[in-house]
């Protein structure tokens, strides 16, 4: 409980970061995850069906 | 007082122009074209929601001043919400930008909507940058002493001194947020005025 | 008058199809709630980085030789700041973009004289001390040529600088007041007094850290810490953050240019990369007006996925 009240992060990321080297590319794992998530989100947004009950009823 | 005189008033003319371009049913619509049916459309409003969180957390940080968060666990938590809402803001904004690019959303007299969007993005990059140098910690020491070379080399450093904490904080919490919010408002109003871009017509039925 | 031909990348067809119910306020509310919860979740899980700022006190205690060497550099004009040029001084012409010397053109608007501001003024601000007072009198009373000769003699032995018993020692002769000045400045730095002197040099109130930041950045201590955190420019540092936190990933292209030729070896990289990024930003801004560029979306056909319901109906 005291831990909760201290509002400290549960998984603080204060240790030195890990880096991915690939040719000239040198990116932190954290940034890499963000970029990959961004691309995956974009792809998911394109492919996942958008819930629209009204329209589907009309179409079917 | 004649009707003609009232019609000529600046106030009357402005009201009529605004009402003409942006009647209430356009500003706050209750329907939308049926083609607006994809998850890609949620990233604009997600960006605005993240901007709202950035501003709310920023307001709380502003109440106790720029160094509160170093010594208070509540302050540090609010700073964390500020950081993560910024990360989500850029995340959503960039996905929004990709989506709008691949829809060629500038078509049909919407080029100014695109332009204001890009300017908002650039202003946001500047806002984030001035935030990083206003943190009053190691990060801001390093980022400011590095960034000074890039900015000085362009001559802009002669007036925009990234090593001046007071100046950077003013830009971060007054000037740039004002610009970002104003640009976002114009951008959203333009979307409301012009509506969401219709699909390309030449391909209709071609996917079957 | 004939009607203008329809340009598919510029004009939009008029939509005369169906409309569906849309609750914009509900959508906005849901977005704020979802993003709000996500922000609280991420903040609770990961927090945010806050590496404590270094001080000249921590630097000079951790590495007195590096501090004293930097202090000497401020005196003999070899530090980054001393040789910077505009906007701090006229020591160098600064970078140029082809024929354009933008920094020089903008002029010296934030004057920094490293001898005066980083050495003499802080030492002068100290409480009375017989040796220091005598050294400063000797310095101030000497000609520029004499000052320069003392500093240059001291610099010759500086590579053999040692630190013991709280004293910086350099094997050199005919150095006038320079050893006392360097030692006093080092002692001042180690006590924390130099941090204060540089900050309050502009008066009681200040929000301007230009001078202490320039001084700190002239040493290697800050850069060594930054290198451990993978923050150097050559490490794509612009987009990185201390610890394992995500940084300003949106700066990836800006920092990318610094890694590749010709920018990676250019002495004008800063202004060149800035100009290139300015140009690319302008291209992005003007996409709707640039033939070819604005046709990409129609040709790559990702829009068919987005509007698949529309094309199927």
């Amino acid at each position: 409980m005291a831990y909760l009240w201290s509002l400290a992060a549960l998984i603080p990321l204060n240790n030195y970061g890990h880096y991915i080297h690939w040719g000239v590319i040198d990116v932190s794992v954290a940034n890499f995850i963000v970029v990959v998530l961004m691309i995956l989100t974009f792809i998911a947004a394109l492919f996942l069906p958008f819930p629209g009950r009204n329209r589907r009823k009309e179409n079917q | 007082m004649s009707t003609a005189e009232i019609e000529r008033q600046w106030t009357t003319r402005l009201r009529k122009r605004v009402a003409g371009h942006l009647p209430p049913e356009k500003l706050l619509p209750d329907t939308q074209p049926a083609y607006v049916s994809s998850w890609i459309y949620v990233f604009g409003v997600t960006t605005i929601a993240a901007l709202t969180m950035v501003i709310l957390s920023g307001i709380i940080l502003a109440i106790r001043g720029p160094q509160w968060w170093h010594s208070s666990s509540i302050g540090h938590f609010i700073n964390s919400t500020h950081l993560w809402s910024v990360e989500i803001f850029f995340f959503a904004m960039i996905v929004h930008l990709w989506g709008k690019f691949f829809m060629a959303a500038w078509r049909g007299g919407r080029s100014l909507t695109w332009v204001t969007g890009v300017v908002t993005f650039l202003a946001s990059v500047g806002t984030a940058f001035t935030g990083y140098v206003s943190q009053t910690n190691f990060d801001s020491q390093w980022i400011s002493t590095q960034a000074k070379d890039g900015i000085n080399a362009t001559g802009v450093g002669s007036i925009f001194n990234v090593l001046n904490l007071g100046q950077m904080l003013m830009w971060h919490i007054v000037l740039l947020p004002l610009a970002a919010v104003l640009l976002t408002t114009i951008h959203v109003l333009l979307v409301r005025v012009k509506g969401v871009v219709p699909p390309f017509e030449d391909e209709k039925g071609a996917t079957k | 008058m004939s009607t203008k031909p329809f340009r598919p990348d510029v004009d939009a067809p008029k939509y005369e199809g169906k409309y569906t119910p849309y609750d914009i306020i509900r959508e906005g509310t849901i977005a704020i709630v979802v993003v709000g919860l996500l922000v609280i979740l991420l903040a609770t899980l990961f927090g945010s980085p806050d590496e404590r700022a270094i001080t000249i006190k921590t630097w000079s205690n951790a590495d007195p030789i590096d501090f004293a060497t930097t202090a000497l550099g401020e005196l003999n004009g070899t530090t980054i700041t001393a040789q910077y040029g505009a906007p701090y001084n006229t020591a160098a012409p600064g970078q140029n973009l082809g024929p354009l010397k933008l920094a020089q053109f903008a002029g010296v608007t934030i004057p920094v004289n490293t001898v005066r501001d980083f050495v003499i003024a802080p030492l002068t601000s100290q409480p009375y001390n017989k040796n220091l007072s005598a050294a400063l009198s000797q310095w101030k009373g000497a000609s520029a040529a004499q000052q320069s000769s003392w500093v240059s003699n001291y610099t010759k032995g500086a590579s053999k600088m040692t630190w013991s018993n709280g004293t910086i020692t350099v094997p050199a002769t005919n150095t006038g007041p320079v050893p006392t000045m360097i030692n006093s400045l080092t002692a001042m730095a180690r006590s924390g007094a130099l941090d204060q002197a540089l900050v309050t040099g502009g008066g009681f109130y200040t929000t301007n850290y230009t001078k202490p930041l320039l001084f700190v950045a002239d040493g290697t201590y800050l850069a060594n810490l930054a290198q451990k955190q993978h923050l150097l420019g050559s490490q794509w540092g612009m987009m990185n953050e201390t610890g394992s936190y995500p940084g300003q990933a949106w700066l990836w292209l800006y920092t990318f240019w610094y890694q590749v030729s010709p920018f990676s070896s250019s002495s004008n990289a800063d202004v060149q990369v800035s100009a290139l990024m300015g140009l690319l930003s302008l291209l992005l801004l003007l996409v709707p007006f640039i033939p070819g560029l604005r046709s990409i979306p129609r040709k790559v056909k990702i829009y068919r996925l987005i509007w698949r319901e529309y094309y199927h109906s």
Side-chain angles (χ1 to χ4, degrees):
Chain A
M1 200 61 196
Y3 191 71
L4 273 182
W5 278 114
S6 77
L7 289 173
L10 299 175
I11 315 165
L13 305 175
N14 288 316
N15 45 337
Y16 287 145
H18 294 279
Y19 285 82
I20 300 166
H21 299 265
W22 191 56
V24 72
I25 309 263
D26 182 358
V27 64
S28 74
V29 171
N31 276 342
F32 184 72
I33 291 172
V34 169
V35 172
V36 168
L37 277 179
M38 231 153 68
I39 294 168
L40 288 181
T41 305
F42 180 67
I43 294 172
L46 294 182
F47 283 94
L48 288 182
F50 189 75
R53 269 162 288 136
N54 299 332
R55 254 157 289 154
R56 207 161 291 161
K57 264 181 206 156
E58 283 166 15
N59 290 344
Q60 281 163 1
Chain B
M1 192 161 47
S2 67
T3 322
E5 191 187 335
I6 288 180
E7 289 298 313
R8 271 203 311 275
Q9 288 183 138
W10 291 8
T11 313
T12 316
R13 283 201 241 165
L14 177 69
R15 190 187 63 225
K16 291 203 162 170
R17 258 193 92 167
V18 171
H21 282 291
L22 203 62
E25 58 275 17
K26 265 191 173 182
L27 181 64
L28 290 172
D30 46 24
T31 60
Q32 66 183 357
Y35 57 79
V36 183
S37 173
S38 164
W39 281 106
I40 201 70
Y41 284 107
V42 307
F43 292 96
V45 71
T46 308
T47 310
I48 292 173
L51 179 62
T52 309
M53 297 309 294
V54 172
I55 292 169
L56 282 179
S57 53
I59 286 173
I60 301 175
L61 288 172
I63 291 171
R64 294 293 297 271
Q67 293 192 295
W68 170 55
W69 72 286
H70 297 306
S71 54
S72 153
S73 59
I74 298 171
H76 192 103
F77 178 76
I78 300 297
N79 180 74
S80 304
T81 61
H82 199 57
L83 169 74
W84 288 106
S85 44
V86 168
E87 289 287 339
I88 294 172
F89 173 75
F90 276 100
F91 188 109
M93 197 185 213
I94 290 166
V95 175
H96 174 65
L97 185 144
W98 290 343
K100 292 300 149 186
F101 176 77
F102 287 113
M103 287 187 255
W106 52 77
R107 290 173 296 131
R110 293 173 179 81
S111 46
L112 196 58
T113 315
W114 174 272
V115 168
T116 51
V118 173
V119 177
T120 310
F121 175 67
L122 298 175
S124 305
V125 170
T127 315
F129 167 75
T130 51
Y132 276 89
V133 299
S134 300
Q135 292 177 90
T136 61
N137 60 11
F138 174 80
D139 223 18
S140 42
Q141 287 181 312
W142 177 252
I143 295 172
S144 61
T145 50
Q146 286 292 294
K148 77 176 194 304
D149 298 332
I151 291 166
N152 287 342
T154 63
V156 176
S158 65
I159 44 171
F160 188 80
N161 180 6
V162 296
L163 304 179
N164 186 334
L165 172 68
Q167 187 185 8
M168 289 305 107
L169 190 63
M170 289 295 190
W171 276 82
H172 182 62
I173 68 172
V174 182
L175 302 176
L176 288 168
L178 204 63
V181 169
L182 198 68
L183 285 162
T184 307
T185 307
I186 295 171
H187 183 71
V188 171
L189 288 180
L190 281 171
V191 174
R192 297 299 11 134
V193 169
K194 296 283 181 181
V196 183
V197 75
F200 285 105
E201 194 153 61
D202 51 353
E203 295 294 338
K204 185 149 187 174
T207 50
K208 287 229 165 159
Chain C
M1 213 175 101
S2 65
T3 51
K4 271 182 160 180
F6 184 83
R7 295 164 300 170
D9 303 316
V10 177
D11 304 317
K14 191 164 170 53
Y15 179 71
E16 277 156 349
K18 271 185 301 190
Y19 280 74
T20 51
Y22 172 48
D23 193 344
I24 193 171
I25 296 297
R26 183 164 169 266
E27 183 194 72
T29 310
I30 292 172
I32 288 179
V33 170
V34 170
V35 170
L37 289 174
L38 189 60
V39 164
I40 290 169
L41 178 74
L42 288 165
T44 309
L45 279 179
F46 303 121
S48 51
D50 189 16
E51 286 285 321
R52 189 181 276 274
I54 66 159
T55 59
I56 294 174
K57 183 180 176 179
T58 51
W59 167 30
S60 56
N61 278 285
D63 194 348
I65 300 264
D66 183 55
F67 173 81
T69 306
T70 308
L72 175 63
E74 306 296 9
L75 209 51
N76 67 17
T78 53
T79 57
I80 296 166
T81 306
Q83 300 185 334
Y84 202 92
Y88 308 127
N89 49 50
T90 52
Q95 296 191 12
N96 58 286
L97 185 67
L100 297 174
K101 293 189 158 101
L102 296 171
Q104 199 176 43
F105 178 73
V108 179
T109 53
I110 309 162
V112 177
N113 176 324
T114 58
V115 177
R116 181 193 66 208
D117 296 327
F118 291 166
V119 184
I120 305 302
L123 288 175
T124 309
S125 74
Q126 286 299 280
Y128 179 76
N129 167 302
K130 203 176 152 197
N131 288 343
L132 176 59
S133 186
L136 285 172
S137 302
Q138 191 183 5
W139 176 269
K140 286 172 186 168
S143 68
Q146 177 66 72
Q147 291 173 348
S148 154
S149 152
W150 287 330
V151 171
S152 131
N153 289 337
Y154 188 85
T155 304
K156 279 177 198 151
S159 60
K160 296 193 180 99
M161 185 185 285
T162 55
W163 166 257
S164 65
N165 299 325
T167 308
I168 294 281
T169 311
V170 165
T173 52
N174 210 0
T175 53
V178 174
T180 307
M181 284 160 59
I182 294 293
N183 262 303
S184 301
L185 200 69
T186 307
M188 204 179 156
R190 288 165 62 84
S191 74
L194 184 56
D195 285 297
Q196 291 310 310
L198 289 172
V199 171
T200 56
F204 182 82
Y205 281 114
T206 186
T207 57
N208 186 351
Y209 290 80
T210 304
K211 283 171 187 169
L213 280 170
L214 285 175
F215 199 142
V216 165
D218 281 339
T220 61
Y221 184 70
L222 183 72
N224 286 341
L225 291 175
Q227 185 177 20
K228 283 185 196 152
Q229 295 274 11
H230 218 95
L231 299 177
L232 296 188
S234 55
Q235 298 171 309
W236 295 63
M238 203 185 279
M239 64 188 284
N240 294 338
E241 177 57 275
T242 54
S244 315
Y245 288 92
Q248 303 184 69
W250 48 91
L251 293 179
W252 72 273
L253 191 59
Y254 210 116
T255 189
F256 164 76
W257 296 117
Y258 282 93
Q259 321 302 321
V260 295
S261 191
F263 309 109
S264 54
S265 57
S266 168
S267 56
N268 294 305
D270 288 318
V271 69
Q272 289 165 344
V273 172
S274 293
L276 180 60
M277 286 305 290
L279 190 70
L280 292 174
S281 302
L282 203 61
L283 276 184
L284 182 66
L285 190 81
L286 298 177
V287 161
F289 310 102
I290 301 171
L293 216 51
R294 66 185 179 197
S295 306
I296 294 173
R298 185 165 50 87
K299 293 190 172 145
V300 298
K301 299 196 189 315
I302 284 177
Y303 68 85
R304 281 199 201 172
L305 281 168
I306 296 170
W307 290 313
R308 60 184 177 276
E309 276 189 34
Y310 169 79
Y311 291 126
H312 276 288
S313 62

